[in-house]
Amino acid sequence: MPSTDRHLRRYLQPTGLECHDYAQWVLPIRGDLQLEIGGLGGRVDLLQGAFVAPGETHDMGARGDNCCLIIDCHAGVLDDDTLEHLY
């Protein structure tokens, strides 16, 4: 059965490049977050989250008070058509 894991995380320093075999939603609920996904940089905040595709390298970091809801979507949660549209 497909599953998801949910975490509340604070980022006090960059995470360093990481990569995993599941998709991930990054949804700030306080503050903002600097991201690099697949070599492209950006910022997310209360009005904009980010999607990290399975196998995509990424790094996250923030300044100041922050909190993000991280949703890990393991294999089977998102079908191939959905993943293709989210890339």
Side-chain angles (χ1 to χ4, degrees), residues 32-80:
D32 58 35
L33 185 68
Q34 303 297 318
L35 293 164
E36 180 183 311
I37 301 173
L40 300 173
R43 174 174 132 345
V44 294
D45 58 24
L46 294 174
L47 300 175
Q48 179 176 332
F51 177 76
V52 181
E56 194 72 63
T57 58
H58 57 285
D59 186 10
M60 299 178 231
R63 292 184 187 177
D65 191 26
N66 68 85
C67 185
C68 292
L69 173 62
I70 306 295
I71 302 172
D72 299 331
C73 299
H74 297 280
V77 171
L78 302 170
D79 62 36
D80 291 340

Side-chain angles (χ1 to χ4, degrees), residues 8-25:
L8 287 177
R9 294 188 186 147
R10 290 183 61 212
Y11 294 93
L12 304 176
Q13 59 189 5
T15 60
L17 284 179
E18 56 182 44
C19 182
H20 34 71
D21 62 353
Y22 51 87
Q24 192 172 64
W25 290 100

